[in-house]
C-alpha cells in the first residue's frame, strides 16, 4: 500500500516538472521566457515585458505569439496592453507599475481554450532611497579614555525595498571603516572617536533603485562631547553652620577637555532644587564651597559638567549626595498662645499655655528644652516663676489678673530669642472687623479688617466642629500687618469655626468668629420628617436638624415635598432654623406622602418618605353633630311627653279603662268616720279651699297577717309631697298611672296579677281631702281598684272592714303623690319642706304628714283630720309649680257631679291584726 | 612668514594651532597612560633605559628658540610620520603576539596611532598655510628603490623598541605643544590675528 502511494507521488512530481518554467534548464525545455527577468521597478513608472516563444514549440504545437495572454497573479491583463511584435514575441506594457503584482505570467491558449502557462517572473516595485536628512552626532564618554560617537538622521520615506544605510566618516587624508546600523535605519555608533581633528561625516542610503547621500557634517568630535558626570562626590561641613564643601573627581582630563560645572542642591525631603550661580562654577575645578545654607539642615547635592567653552552637551546629573550643616542657636522664639479655663471659678484661672515647635529652619538644631517665665504684672511684688518644659504645652493655675509669659527654646548651641505673650485680665480691646473666608483650592483663606488701633499680632484659632466631640483648637499667629492668611490642612465638606483675636501692646481684643467650609457638598442625608399632629385639613410636621457632620455645607433651606397618591407634588420651602411646619389646606381622610429635602449651596438630599392620613372630621365637628342631634332627640322626647300629657285622657282611656268609682259604691258607707251622707252638690263643700288628695299604694301579702303590723307600714311614713288634689281627683286611680307613682299600679296590673288574681287581689285607693287649716275636711273618699265585684264588697263590707282574713291575698294601698322622685324634683316649689316624723308607732303606722309654712308635724291620731286638711293645702301649692291645671280653680272648672263624687272609705284606726289603708 | 595672510587663512591657522595644541596634549596624556599599560602588559620595567629609536628625530634639540616656524613644522612632521610608521608596526606586532587577547591595549595603541596621524595632518595643513610644499614621505620615495629589509628583532627587542617609541612620542608631544604655541603667537605682520595662549 505504501509503495503504491510513492509511485503516484513520483508521477505527479514529474508532470509538474515538465510544466514548470523553471524546468527549462532541466530535461524538459520550456516553450518560452520573459524579458526582463524578475525586475525591480520604481513605483509609478511604466514597464514593458516581452514574452519570447521558442521556435521548437512553434513547430511542435502550432503556438504563436498571437495566442499569448498575460496575467498578473490570476487576473488577466487587458489585451489592449498587448502587442505582438512578431510571431514569437508578445509584449505587455503597464503605464503605472503600482498596478503590478507578482507573478506576471505569459500564457498560451492552446487549441482554442486550453490555457497553458509558458513563463512567469517576479516583479518587485519600490522607491529609490531619499536623501537622509538632519544628520547629527553626539560623542558619549564611556569611560575615562573611551568615547563613542552616535549619529542619527532621518532616513526618508519607506522604499518598500531592502535599503542599506551606512554612516561614513573621514579625515582629509584618512578614511575610516563605515558604520553600518544594526536593526535600525536611522542611527549608528562609532566606538572610537578621535578628537581635535575635523571629521567629515555623512550617510549613504542604497537600494536596488539607487543611492542617496546626505549632506556631510564636518565636526571636531571634541565639540559634541557629552562627558560623564563628576564622580566620588564628598561633602564636608565646615566651621560655619551655613557652609558645606563639595569635592569631586572628573572623568575627563584637562588635557582632553576643560570643564565647567553646574551644582544644584535642595533640602532633603524637599523637591525644589536650588542652583549655584553658573558663573561661580564656570571654570575647571574639583571642589566648591556652598554658602548661605541653613544650620542643621540636610542637603542633597548633584553636579554636572560640560566643555568649558559651552560647546557640546551637558553631562547627566551626578548621583545625589547628602550633607548636613552644623547646629546654630534657634533663630526665633516659638509662637505661644493660651486657653483660659474659668469654669471652676471666674477668679481662678486654669491657663493652658501651648506653643508650636520651631520649624527645622528656625530651631537650627535639636531643641533640648523650653524655658518658660511667668510674671504677674498686676502685682509687682509677686515673684517671677520659671519652668523648664520639654513638651510644647504647660498648664498653670493663676488668679485672675494680667500676666506676661516669656518662652525661649534652647538647643545645644544656645537659647532662642524670647517669645512674649501678654495675658490681660479681660479682652476688652477692639476686635477685628469684617471677618470673612474664601476657599482657595485646598486652602481656606481667612481675611479681616484691622481695628483702628495698632495691632502687634493676630491669633487665628480654628477647629473642626463636631456633634460628637469637642472642638480641638488649632491656632496660628501672624504679624499685625497681615490681614489674611491661608489655613492649611482644612478638610473639605467639614465645618470649621474660625476665631481671630487681635493682640495689642497693652492687651487683647475680643475674638470674632465665623463658620466656614473649604468646600461644600450636598448633605449626606436628608431630614427625617414625621407628623406631630394630624387634623382634617392640616398636619404639623416636625423634624430634627441634621448634625454638623451630615450637613456638608451650610443648610440654606429645607424643602417639604408632599403629595397624595395620585396627586401632584407640592413643594414648600422652609427656613433652615425651623424644625416644625404646618401643612394646611389638606384634603380630609387622604393619605399623604411627605418627604423633606435639605439643601446646601452644592446640592440637596432628600430624607425618607413619611406617610400620614388626614382625619375625616375636624375638631368639634363631631360635637357639632352630636349635640344638636341629642338636643333634637330631647326635644322630641319632651314634645312626646307633652303630647302624652295633653292627651292623657285619651291615653288613659286606652290604657286604663274607667273603673267604676268606688265612692259610688255602697262600700263607702262602711267607713264609720265618714259621714254617711255628704252634700256633694256644692263643690265648696266637697273641696273647701285647698282640697287634698293623697293616694298610696301598698301591696301587702294577704296571707301574712303579721305584715299588717306597724313594722311593715313604717316606710310609708316618708312621703313628703303631695300631688295636687285636682290631679288626684281627676285621674283617680287611672290618672295617677299617667304621672309617676301611680304607674306602679299599672305595672302591677300589667304583670297580670291583677287579671289573674282578680279573686285574690284587692286594690284600694284612698283619697283624702283635708280641710283647710283647722277646718274639718268636708269630704274624704277613697277608691278601690279592686277587681272584685263591688257589690260583693259592699255586701261584705262589714267583713271586709272588720277582718283581714277574708281579704284577698294581695292588697294595694294608694297614697297620693307618693313618688319619692317627684318629691325631689318638686322641691324648689316648696318654701320649706318638713320632714316627716313618725307617729307613735304603737298607735300609728306609716302615715305621711306634710306641713306647709313651718307647721310642725303632729302625731297622727285624733288630730288626723286637721293634718289631712293642711296636707291638702300644701298639695294645691305644689301643683302650681308643675304647671298643671291642678289648682283650686281647676277644681272649679271640673266640678264633679254628685254621681261622680268619690266616696272613700278611710279607716281611722288600725286595729291589731288588721290593715291600714291610707 | 604670513605677511600676506588673509583673515580666513589666519583664522584657519589659528584653529589648526589650537586643535594641534589640544591634540598634542591629549596625545601626551594618552601616551602616558598607554606607557603604563604597555609596561605592565609587556612585563617591562618602567625604569628600563631604552636606546634612541632609529628613524625618529630627537625631541630635544639645541637652540630651539632660534628655530623658525617652518623648521619646527618640518621637524614635527618628520617625527610624527616616523611615529605613525612605528606605531603601525607596533600594532601589527601586538596583534601577532596577543591576538585579540588584550583588545584594550590594542585599542589604546590604535587610538594613539590615530592621534599621531591626525597631528601629522594638522602639521601638513599648517605647512600648506605657510605656502610651503609638504615634503613627501620617505617611505614613498624609498619604495621606488625598494625599502631595505627591516632588521629582524627579537620579541624582547620589539617590546623595548615599543617602549622607546612611546617614551619618545610622549616627549615629542610636549615639544609639539611648545612648537605650536610658538607658531600661534601673533607675528608682527599679522597683528590682527589674536594670539593663542592656551595650555595643553
Amino acid at each position: 500500500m505504501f509503495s503504491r502511494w510513492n509511485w503516484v507521488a513520483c508521477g505527479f512530481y514529474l508532470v509538474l516538472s515538465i510544466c514548470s518554467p523553471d524546468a527549462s534548464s532541466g530535461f524538459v525545455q520550456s516553450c518560452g521566457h520573459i524579458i526582463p527577468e524578475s525586475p525591480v521597478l520604481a513605483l509609478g513608472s511604466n514597464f514593458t515585458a516581452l514574452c519570447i516563444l521558442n521556435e521548437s514549440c512553434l513547430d511542435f504545437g502550432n503556438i504563436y505569439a498571437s495566442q499569448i495572454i498575460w496575467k498578473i497573479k490570476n487576473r488577466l491583463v487587458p489585451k489592449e496592453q498587448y502587442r505582438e511584435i512578431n510571431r514569437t514575441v508578445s509584449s505587455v506594457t503597464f503605464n503605472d507599475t503600482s498596478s503590478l503584482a507578482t507573478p506576471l505570467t505569459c500564457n498560451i491558449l492552446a487549441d482554442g481554450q486550453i490555457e497553458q502557462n509558458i513563463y512567469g517572473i517576479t516583479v518587485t516595485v519600490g522607491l529609490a532611497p531619499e536623501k537622509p536628512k538632519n544628520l547629527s552626532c553626539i560623542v558619549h564618554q564611556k569611560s575615562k579614555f573611551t568615547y563613542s560617537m552616535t549619529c542619527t538622521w532621518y532616513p526618508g520615506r519607506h522604499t518598500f525595498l531592502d535599503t542599506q544605510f551606512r554612516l561614513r566618516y573621514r579625515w582629509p587624508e584618512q578614511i575610516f571603516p563605515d558604520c553600518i546600523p544594526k536593526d535600525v535605519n536611522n542611527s549608528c555608533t562609532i566606538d572610537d572617536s578621535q578628537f581635535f581633528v575635523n571629521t567629515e561625516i555623512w550617510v549613504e542610503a542604497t537600494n536596488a533603485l539607487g543611492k542617496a547621500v546626505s549632506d556631510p557634517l564636518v565636526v571636531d568630535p571634541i565639540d559634541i562631547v557629552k562627558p560623564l558626570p563628576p564622580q566620588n562626590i564628598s561633602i564636608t561641613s565646615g566651621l560655619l553652620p551655613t557652609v558645606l564643601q563639595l569635592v569631586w573627581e572628573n572623568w575627563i582630563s584637562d588635557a582632553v577637555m576643560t570643564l565647567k560645572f553646574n551644582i544644584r542642591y535642595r533640602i532633603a525631603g524637599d523637591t525644589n532644587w536650588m542652583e549655584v550661580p553658573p558663573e561661580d562654577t564656570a571654570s575647571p575645578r574639583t571642589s566648591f564651597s556652598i554658602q548661605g545654607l541653613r544650620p542643621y539642615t540636610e542637603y542633597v547635592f548633584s553636579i554636572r559638567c560640560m566643555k568649558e567653552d559651552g560647546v557640546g552637551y551637558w553631562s547627566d546629573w551626578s548621583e545625589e549626595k547628602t550633607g548636613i550643616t552644623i547646629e546654630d542657636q534657634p533663630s526665633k522664639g516659638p509662637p505661644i498662645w493660651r486657653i483660659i479655663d474659668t469654669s471652676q471659678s471666674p477668679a481662678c484661672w486654669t491657663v493652658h499655655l501651648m506653643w508650636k515647635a520651631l520649624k527645622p529652619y528656625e530651631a537650627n538644631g535639636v531643641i533640648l528644652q523650653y524655658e518658660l517665665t511667668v510674671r504677674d504684672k498686676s502685682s509687682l511684688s509677686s515673684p517671677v516663676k520659671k519652668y523648664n518644659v520639654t513638651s510644647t504645652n504647660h498648664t498653670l493655675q493663676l488668679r485672675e489678673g494680667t500676666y506676661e509669659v516669656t518662652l525661649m527654646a534652647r538647643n545645644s548651641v544656645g537659647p532662642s530669642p524670647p517669645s512674649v505673650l501678654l495675658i490681660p485680665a479681660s479682652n476688652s480691646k477692639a476686635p477685628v472687623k469684617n471677618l470673612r473666608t474664601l476657599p482657595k483650592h485646598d486652602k481656606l483663606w481667612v481675611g479681616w479688617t484691622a481695628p483702628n488701633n495698632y495691632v502687634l499680632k493676630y491669633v487665628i484659632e480654628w477647629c473642626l466642629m463636631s456633634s460628637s466631640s469637642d472642638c480641638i483648637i488649632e491656632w496660628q499667629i501672624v504679624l499685625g500687618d497681615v490681614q489674611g492668611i491661608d489655613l492649611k490642612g482644612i478638610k473639605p465638606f467639614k465645618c470649621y469655626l474660625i476665631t481671630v483675636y487681635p493682640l495689642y501692646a497693652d492687651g487683647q481684643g475680643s475674638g470674632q468668629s465665623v463658620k466656614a467650609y473649604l468646600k461644600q457638598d450636598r448633605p449626606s442625608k436628608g431630614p427625617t420628617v414625621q407628623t406631630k399632629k394630624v387634623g382634617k385639613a392640616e398636619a404639623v410636621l416636625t423634624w430634627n436638624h441634621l448634625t454638623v457632620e451630615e450637613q456638608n455645607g451650610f443648610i440654606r433651606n429645607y424643602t417639604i415635598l408632599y403629595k397624595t397618591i395620585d396627586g401632584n407634588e407640592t413643594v414648600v420651602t422652609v427656613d433652615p432654623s425651623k424644625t416644625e411646619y404646618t401643612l394646611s389646606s389638606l384634603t380630609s381622610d387622604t393619605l399623604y406622602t411627605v418627604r423633606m429635602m435639605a439643601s446646601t449651596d452644592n446640592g440637596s438630599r432628600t430624607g425618607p418618605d413619611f406617610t400620614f392620613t388626614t382625619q375625616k372630621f375636624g375638631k368639634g365637628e363631631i360635637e357639632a353633630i352630636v349635640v344638636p342631634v341629642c338636643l333634637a332627640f330631647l326635644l322630641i322626647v319632651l314634645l312626646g311627653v307633652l303630647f302624652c300629657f295633653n292627651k292623657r285622657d285619651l291615653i288613659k282611656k286606652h290604657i286604663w279603662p274607667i273603673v267604676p268609682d268606688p265612692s259610688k259604691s255602697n262600700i263607702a258607707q262602711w267607713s264609720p268616720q265618714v259621714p254617711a251622707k255628704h252634700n256633694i252638690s256644692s263643690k265648696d263643700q266637697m273641696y273647701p279651699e285647698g282640697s287634698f288628695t293623697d293616694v298610696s299604694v301598698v301591696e301587702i301579702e294577704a296571707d301574712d297577717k303579721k305584715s299588717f303590723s306597724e313594722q311593715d307600714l313604717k316606710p310609708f311614713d316618708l312621703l313628703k309631697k303631695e300631688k295636687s288634689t285636682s290631679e288626684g281627683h281627676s285621674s283617680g286611680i287611672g290618672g295617677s298611672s299617667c304621672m309617676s307613682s301611680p304607674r306602679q299600679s299599672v305595672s302591677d296590673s300589667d304583670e297580670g296579677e291583677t287579671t289573674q288574681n282578680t279573686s285574690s287581689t284587692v286594690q284600694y285607693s284612698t283619697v283624702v281631702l283635708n280641710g283647710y287649716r283647722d277646718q274639718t275636711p268636708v269630704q274624704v273618699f277613697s277608691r278601690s281598684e279592686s277587681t272584685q265585684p263591688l257589690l260583693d264588697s259592699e255586701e261584705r263590707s262589714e267583713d271586709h272592714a272588720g277582718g283581714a282574713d277574708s281579704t284577698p291575698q294581695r292588697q294595694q294601698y294608694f297614697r297620693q303623690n307618693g313618688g319619692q322622685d317627684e318629691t325631689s324634683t318638686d322641691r324648689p316649689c316648696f318654701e320649706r319642706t318638713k320632714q316627716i316624723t313618725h307617729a307613735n308607732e304603737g298607735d300609728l303606722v306609716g302615715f305621711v304628714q306634710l306641713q306647709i309654712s313651718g307647721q310642725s308635724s303632729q302625731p297622727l291620731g285624733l288630730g288626723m283630720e286637721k293634718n289631712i286638711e293642711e296636707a291638702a293645702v300644701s298639695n294645691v301649692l305644689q301643683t302650681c309649680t308643675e304647671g298643671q291645671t291642678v289648682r283650686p280653680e281647676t277644681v272649679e272648672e271640673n266640678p264633679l257631679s254628685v254621681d261622680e263624687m268619690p266616696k272613700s272609705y278611710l279607716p281611722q284606726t288600725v286595729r291589731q291584726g288588721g290593715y291600714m289603708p291610707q | 612668514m604670513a605677511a600676506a595672510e588673509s583673515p580666513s587663512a589666519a583664522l584657519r591657522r589659528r584653529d589648526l594651532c589650537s586643535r594641534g595644541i589640544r591634540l598634542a596634549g591629549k596625545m601626551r596624556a594618552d601616551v602616558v597612560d598607554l606607557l603604563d599599560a604597555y609596561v605592565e602588559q609587556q612585563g617591562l620595567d618602567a625604569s628600563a633605559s631604552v636606546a634612541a629609536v632609529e628613524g625618529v628625530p630627537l625631541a630635544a634639540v639645541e637652540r630651539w628658540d632660534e628655530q623658525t616656524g617652518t623648521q619646527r613644522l618640518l621637524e614635527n612632521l618628520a617625527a610624527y610620520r616616523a611615529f605613525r610608521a612605528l606605531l603601525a608596526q607596533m600594532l601589527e606586532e601586538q596583534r601577532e603576539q596577543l591576538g585579540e587577547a588584550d583588545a584594550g591595549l590594542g585599542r589604546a595603541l590604535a587610538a594613539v596611532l590615530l592621534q599621531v596621524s591626525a597631528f601629522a595632518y594638522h602639521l601638513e595643513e599648517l605647512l600648506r598655510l605657510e605656502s610651503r610644499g609638504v615634503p613627501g614621505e620617505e617611505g614613498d620615495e624609498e619604495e621606488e628603490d625598494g625599502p631595505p629589509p627591516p632588521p629582524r628583532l627579537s620579541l624582547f627587542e620589539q617590546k623595548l623598541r615599543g617602549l622607546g617609541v612611546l617614551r619618545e612620542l610622549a616627549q615629542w608631544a610636549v615639544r609639539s605643544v611648545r612648537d605650536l604655541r610658538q607658531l600661534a603667537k601673533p607675528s608682527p605682520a599679522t597683528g590682527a590675528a589674536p594670539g593663542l595662549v592656551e595650555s595643553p
Side-chain angles (χ1 to χ4, degrees), chain B residues 176-193:
Chain B
S176 298
V177 170
R178 297 180 65 186
D179 285 337
L180 289 181
R181 281 180 176 170
Q182 197 69 25
L183 285 172
K185 286 181 179 177
S187 62
T190 57

Side-chain angles (χ1 to χ4, degrees), chain A residues 297-342:
Chain A
T297 303
E298 185 178 17
Y299 283 91
V300 180
F301 295 91
S302 181
I303 311 173
R304 67 176 181 178
C305 61
M306 75 175 297
K307 195 155 162 270
E308 186 182 7
D309 57 6
V311 180
Y313 299 92
W314 281 105
S315 70
D316 294 329
W317 287 102
S318 69
E319 63 175 348
E320 297 177 356
K321 284 286 183 180
T322 59
I324 302 177
T325 51
I326 62 174
E327 285 192 26
D328 194 3
Q329 62 185 27
S331 60
K332 62 176 285 190
I336 183 170
W337 184 233
R338 86 295 177 275
I339 295 175
I340 299 175
D341 183 3
T342 58

Side-chain angles (χ1 to χ4, degrees), chain A residues 234-255:
Chain A
S234 63
I235 300 171
T236 55
S237 54
L239 297 175
L240 297 174
T242 59
V243 176
L244 285 175
Q245 186 180 36
L246 275 71
V247 179
W248 65 89
E249 295 177 6
N250 294 320
W251 282 99
I252 200 164
S253 68
D254 288 345

Side-chain angles (χ1 to χ4, degrees), chain A residues 330-337 354-359 362-363 367 369-372 389 391-393 405-411 415-421 457 475 477:
Chain A
S331 60
K332 62 176 285 190
I336 183 170
W337 184 233
M354 49 192 181
W355 54 91
K356 293 183 182 295
L358 292 172
K359 293 182 173 60
E362 297 167 339
I367 299 299
Q369 67 179 17
Y370 296 97
E371 296 171 359
L372 188 67
V389 185
S391 63
T392 56
N393 57 72
V405 179
T406 304
L407 181 69
M408 290 188 295
R410 178 180 289 277
N411 63 11
S416 69
S419 294
V420 179
L421 175 67
K457 296 175 183 176
W475 56 276
I477 293 181

Side-chain angles (χ1 to χ4, degrees), chain A residues 230-301:
Chain A
Q231 61 173 347
N232 297 333
I233 301 171
S234 63
I235 300 171
T236 55
S237 54
L239 297 175
L240 297 174
T242 59
V243 176
L244 285 175
Q245 186 180 36
L246 275 71
V247 179
W248 65 89
E249 295 177 6
N250 294 320
W251 282 99
I252 200 164
S253 68
D254 288 345
V256 178
M257 189 165 66
T258 54
L259 299 172
K260 65 177 181 179
F261 302 88
N262 275 169
I263 299 175
R264 65 177 183 178
Y265 60 97
R266 62 180 169 85
I267 296 173
D270 197 352
T271 57
N272 297 322
W273 288 96
M274 295 164 281
E275 196 161 324
V276 174
E279 56 271 21
D280 293 350
T281 55
S283 57
R285 63 182 61 240
T286 56
S287 67
F288 189 82
S289 291
I290 302 172
Q291 303 175 9
L293 304 178
R294 292 175 183 168
Y296 197 64
T297 303
E298 185 178 17
Y299 283 91
V300 180
F301 295 91

Side-chain angles (χ1 to χ4, degrees), chain B residues 90-99 152 158:
Chain B
M90 283 177 62
L91 191 59
E92 186 66 26
E93 292 170 353
Q94 184 73 20
R95 285 175 183 161
E96 287 177 359
Q97 294 170 15
L98 302 175
R152 195 66 188 174
Q158 289 177 6

